Amino acid sequence: MRVLLANPGYPQTFWSFDSVLKMIGKRILFPPLGLLTVAALLPENWDVKIRDLTGQDISDEDWRSCDVVMISGMVTQYTGIVELIRESKRKGKSVVVGGPLAFHIPQDMLEFGADIVVRGEVEEGVQMLVEALERGRSGFIIETPPRPDLKHCVPPKYDLLDLDIYETMAIQFSRGCPFRCEFCDITLMFGRSVRTKAPQQVLKELDILYDLGWRKGILFVDDNFIGQPLSAKALLRQLIPWMDERGYPFEFITQASVNLAADPEMLDLMVRAGFFRVFMGIETPDRESLRQAKKFQNTSVDLDQVCETVNRAGLQVIAGCIIGFDNEEPGADQRLIEFANRNHIPEMFVTLLQAGPGTEIWKRLQAEDRLLSTSCDDSFGSQTGLMNFLPTRPMSQIVEEFINIHEVLYERESYLKRTFEHLSRMVPPPVSKGFATPSLLETLAALKVVLRLGVIHSSRWTFWKSLIRGMIKFPKRMGHFFAYCVTLEHYYAYRRTIKDQLTAKLPKIQQEARVRRSVPFQTGQEEKGVGC
């Protein structure tokens, strides 16, 4: 059977970096790891190819030479998934859909035209899928058995990729998270029992990427890399000598919960193994909001101390934050801005609170009759998506604060100051790696940054001061300094996208709220009755 694996495109998001990727000669930030995993599970005699529509097209020859189109994607790829299903059916292809969106709305995927929907983790359902395709069956959902043992997983088919078009590779060590945050769907999809691969499985996958010639960053896509601490440490202890023997060919990025700061051994092992950046779910400095969201692991720690400890150990911190919690006091924007400045965090991934289908917050809001109909579209989970429920304070006020957060945090001078301080307080790298010669396009990107930040824009004094002092204080991290400066161009421009899209969407959702509550709205800060 001839299979085309397709990852649909998606709209502009915080992680798009379209302009940045163009500057450095890349087309796509991360590969579709789920589809690569599916490819490795299909029969060896099947002809399989992959197309990533975030930076590639499906050619006429691709369409002619496939029998089945397999699609996977996140909720933010909603429109792309639906369009790809319909286009595939117009061309007479069988269509299989899986991934997070299909997990949440499998019946909808059938109604859009999919022949088979795979709901859940694919490993235990692939045999059912293969048999269904070979028999020509259609019109049904495969509910996969829960929680496969990752120690039986085969390596993803990285060899199907055109590595040259990607900026960062992806790998998976674990699935699941031990916590129960009300707004998160990770435990819904993967469970609270953290399952991991064996260290040798991960090293084998890294061997594959190394042998294919990859020498750049790798994202561990785990939702909580330290969710099973003993297993994570076992991996890191084997990863350190592997990296050392090869001259540290990769730099690793991952996600972790705030209890990372309470484990000095874990921090030390991660840095020595080549991790340099971690995304942490801070959510909010408001303790009552954390308690309401059942983010109890954050209520028992000093979040300022967490950020400082992790950063000083040698890891760059991206802080994931949310505004719009129930009973949140006005001024959430100022509290998050102060948090970022106080902790010198350059990148703050801030979203409006949204209720994902099936999550605990979804169930609670549904019982309270506060859910709105705008619950599934491309902007879900991104900065351009409004709240999909009636909040406890005026939505216009929350949106205004949300826009202000991005306006202030990604103003050039403020961002550069936080970047310098962030890199300054990190301990010197404990490992020595060879100098990686930047590509011509990477060099040109750095020169463009120097021109824009050092000559054209009013931030020039802050830029030159940070650059010169950085060469003295953290010479081995100057590559990271320039990377921060390059990505600033994306964040600075994305502020306008956020403002324009949210401002355009707000009247429609206000109208829906009026209908639901039958409470007259007023404009601006005088808006009353939303969710009260």
Side-chain angles (χ1 to χ4, degrees), residues 187-481:
T187 54
L188 184 66
M189 292 190 291
F190 297 129
R192 292 185 61 206
S193 177
V194 179
R195 295 158 289 136
T196 69
K197 295 177 181 176
Q200 285 305 314
Q201 288 175 277
V202 176
L203 297 184
K204 182 178 180 180
E205 294 179 24
L206 293 175
D207 275 327
I208 292 171
L209 287 169
Y210 184 85
D211 292 342
L212 287 170
W214 186 257
R215 296 294 185 274
K216 294 173 67 67
I218 295 179
L219 169 69
F220 274 81
V221 301
D222 307 38
D223 295 290
N224 188 357
F225 180 78
I226 64 168
Q228 180 51 266
L230 293 178
S231 297
K233 289 178 182 179
L235 168 62
L236 294 169
R237 290 191 184 102
Q238 294 196 38
L239 183 54
I240 290 168
W242 188 96
M243 289 283 283
D244 186 56
E245 289 169 9
R246 292 159 181 79
Y248 285 83
F250 309 134
E251 288 189 314
F252 299 120
I253 313 165
T254 195
Q255 304 177 94
S257 46
V258 297
N259 52 312
L260 172 62
D263 194 336
E265 182 186 24
M266 183 77 79
L267 281 169
D268 177 63
L269 289 171
M270 287 180 68
V271 174
R272 286 167 53 206
F275 284 80
F276 80 102
R277 177 173 288 191
V278 61
F279 181 104
M280 290 198 301
I282 299 297
E283 316 315 348
T284 173
D286 299 341
R287 298 281 170 169
E288 185 52 43
S289 292
L290 290 171
R291 280 190 286 271
Q292 166 117 21
K294 299 181 180 177
K295 192 93 178 179
F296 300 121
Q297 67 271 28
N298 285 33
T299 63
S300 59
V301 297
D302 182 330
L303 293 175
D304 288 350
Q305 189 62 51
V306 164
C307 293
E308 180 177 356
T309 299
V310 173
N311 185 213
R312 285 192 185 280
L315 293 172
Q316 299 167 23
V317 174
I318 302 175
C321 299
I322 297 172
I323 73 168
F325 289 105
D326 280 0
N327 304 313
E328 179 181 74
E329 293 294 328
D333 56 339
Q334 292 305 317
R335 293 191 291 277
L336 282 178
I337 290 167
E338 290 168 5
F339 181 87
N341 289 329
R342 187 168 64 244
N343 292 288
H344 315 300
I345 300 176
E347 294 171 286
M348 296 279 285
F349 178 76
V350 188
T351 59
L352 291 166
L353 182 61
Q354 294 176 321
T359 58
E360 289 302 311
I361 190 173
W362 173 279
K363 295 174 183 176
R364 176 171 66 82
L365 294 172
Q366 190 174 48
E368 296 171 2
D369 193 29
R370 293 169 57 194
L371 286 174
L372 300 172
S373 62
T374 55
S375 58
C376 192
D377 62 24
D378 287 356
S379 59
F380 187 87
S382 80
Q383 284 76 10
T384 58
L386 286 169
M387 306 168 76
N388 60 347
F389 64 93
L390 298 168
T392 57
R393 62 185 176 116
M395 192 177 294
S396 63
Q397 182 185 80
I398 298 172
V399 169
E400 182 180 342
E401 291 183 3
F402 182 71
I403 291 171
N404 187 55
I405 288 171
H406 293 87
E407 290 289 329
V408 174
L409 289 181
Y410 295 108
E411 183 273 325
R412 292 186 179 96
E413 190 163 342
S414 170
Y415 177 92
L416 287 170
K417 288 179 179 178
R418 294 197 310 277
T419 297
F420 173 79
E421 294 297 337
H422 198 67
L423 294 174
S424 290
R425 71 177 180 183
M426 298 168 73
V427 296
V431 297
S432 179
K433 56 184 293 186
F435 176 74
T437 305
S439 68
L440 176 60
L441 285 172
E442 288 172 336
T443 302
L444 290 175
L447 291 174
K448 287 179 181 177
V449 164
V450 172
L451 177 64
R452 292 174 182 175
L453 296 178
V455 178
I456 298 174
H457 300 308
S458 59
S459 59
R460 63 184 71 90
W461 168 243
T462 302
F463 171 77
W464 286 112
K465 181 180 177 182
S466 300
L467 177 64
I468 294 169
R469 293 176 65 199
M471 293 173 69
I472 298 170
K473 294 198 70 173
F474 47 83
K476 292 184 178 180
R477 290 195 168 99
M478 286 308 296
H480 292 161
F481 174 78

Side-chain angles (χ1 to χ4, degrees), residues 111-143:
E111 293 172 3
F112 290 135
D115 294 287
I116 302 173
V117 177
V118 180
R119 184 176 187 270
E121 299 173 69
V122 71
E123 284 84 359
E124 299 296 330
V126 70
Q127 190 58 42
M128 290 184 283
L129 173 61
V130 169
E131 291 175 1
L133 289 171
E134 290 180 336
R135 295 176 183 177
R137 296 181 60 203
S138 66
F140 65 100
I141 298 167
I142 295 177
E143 291 277 358

